[in-house]
Amino acid sequence: MSTQRQRTARPIPDPKDPAETVAIERPWLRRAGLLSLLAGILPIVSLLLQLNASSGIRNDVANVKTVGQALSAYADGTQGQGLRGEQAEIAAHYGDHALTITLATGLGGLALLFAAPVLYGLLRSSWRRRPSFPRAFMWAPVVGAVLFAVGTTAAMAYGTSKMADFAALPAVQQTNAAASDALTATGDLSILSIASVFGQMFVAVGLGAAALSAMNTGLLTRAMGVIGVLLAILIVVPLIPRQEFLRAFWFLALGAVLLGRWPGGRPAAWEAGEARPWPSRAQMLEEAERAKAAAAGGASADDDAAPAPKPKAGGDRRRRRK
């Protein structure tokens, strides 16, 4: 006769002491707010540098020779062993701006490294108020930020170095074949690409979990929580171009909340040291109905207690005169 072991449910630990939670988080809020502001500012600077590096590429492409012109140059012996076209012009342009592109990528990675401790702190603050998920889960944004920042920055530095080498070649050697090798050089470092992909996934999980748990415990408003979850989904499914620009504004808003500079101040859960969940729509409707009923009851009581109007003295005088 076989016996099945019943699995006992693991009890959820009690929330931490509110006073202790507030004392721990008070010095952290200022540091986290400043880091969040940096995590929002650096992607904007990175985007501006990328736009600056790509600004003159249309002028370079406009100077590309047609196939007939390239064949004529090749026949004259001035083109070299290959044809020069748009691909070569793009590689040469990016090679001339290799330092700017590498710096822009590095700033984007540095922004994620600044954001990682902020997301970790949000998850930890939510856990203190509602310890219902494994603590190891908090390290997702940290691991993801390191993998993604190192992977993308190293791969871009390697790729731009190859494009810079291409730009330094004599014009007769800047063929489309050589340009293709320079533009696809990052494919040689597959380990960095894998690290970037896994880092991106971990960052998405960490951002979504931090926004959702902070919203459920009342540390963030519903609007900021929902937007944070949507931004996490967009990391994995990039439906919007330049989404890092939207993510930058979210971290700027988060920094203002943590520093207490957001209109209305921080949510009450920060000062209370315990979870203060936002009321659901059903609860809000119920509260509105209750307030409406209370107001109607008060109005009827006032009507019952109101004294009867006194007769005017002038009416009696008129009757006497008649």
Side-chain angles (χ1 to χ4, degrees), residues 263-290:
R266 301 189 193 98
W270 288 107
E271 302 301 331
E274 58 185 4
R276 295 286 179 88
W278 303 103
S280 63
R281 183 170 181 82
Q283 292 173 340
M284 294 174 64
L285 291 175
E286 183 180 354
E287 185 66 24
E289 291 293 336
R290 193 179 305 163

Side-chain angles (χ1 to χ4, degrees), residues 47-66:
L47 181 60
L48 294 177
L49 290 176
Q50 293 178 29
L51 294 176
N52 180 52
S54 303
S55 60
I57 196 168
R58 292 185 178 180
N59 296 330
D60 289 348
V61 173
N63 296 327
V64 174
K65 300 180 180 65
T66 63

Side-chain angles (χ1 to χ4, degrees), residues 62-314:
N63 296 327
V64 174
K65 300 180 180 65
T66 63
V67 175
Q69 292 172 340
L71 289 174
S72 298
Y74 179 70
D76 295 339
T78 58
Q79 181 62 47
Q81 301 299 317
L83 299 179
R84 178 181 175 86
E86 181 178 354
Q87 200 171 22
E89 293 290 340
I90 293 174
H93 176 88
Y94 284 138
D96 293 335
H97 297 81
L99 182 60
T100 303
I101 297 172
T102 305
L103 180 60
T105 306
L107 289 178
L110 187 61
L112 279 181
L113 293 178
F114 285 150
V118 179
L119 297 178
Y120 172 83
L122 272 181
L123 286 167
R124 193 169 182 83
S125 297
S126 302
W127 181 84
R128 290 193 188 100
R129 290 162 174 81
R130 187 177 291 174
S132 57
F133 58 89
R135 297 181 63 178
F137 193 71
M138 303 176 191
W139 292 98
V142 178
V143 175
V146 173
L147 289 176
F148 187 77
V150 174
T152 54
T153 304
M156 185 57 68
Y158 178 76
T160 52
S161 67
K162 293 297 182 182
M163 287 185 280
D165 293 341
F166 174 84
L169 292 174
V172 294
Q173 297 181 12
Q174 293 182 359
T175 61
N176 278 347
S180 179
D181 294 338
L183 292 172
T184 59
T186 54
D188 300 337
L189 305 175
S190 58
I191 186 65
L192 294 179
S193 301
I194 295 174
S196 300
V197 171
F198 276 97
Q200 195 174 22
M201 294 177 62
F202 275 108
V203 168
V205 171
L207 174 59
L212 185 61
S213 60
M215 179 184 67
N216 289 336
T217 53
L219 296 176
L220 292 180
T221 62
R222 286 190 178 277
M224 286 201 64
V226 171
I227 293 174
V229 173
L230 291 177
L231 290 175
I233 295 174
L234 289 176
I235 294 177
V236 182
V237 186
L239 300 176
I240 301 177
R242 302 296 183 185
Q243 56 176 296
E244 62 272 12
F245 197 66
L246 300 176
R247 196 160 59 245
F249 277 100
W250 189 84
F251 276 105
L252 289 175
L254 177 61
V257 170
L258 297 177
L259 292 173
R261 301 297 182 180
W262 191 257
R266 301 189 193 98
W270 288 107
E271 302 301 331
E274 58 185 4
R276 295 286 179 88
W278 303 103
S280 63
R281 183 170 181 82
Q283 292 173 340
M284 294 174 64
L285 291 175
E286 183 180 354
E287 185 66 24
E289 291 293 336
R290 193 179 305 163
K292 185 177 179 181
S300 62
D302 292 341
D303 292 341
D304 295 339
K310 296 181 179 180
K312 295 183 179 180

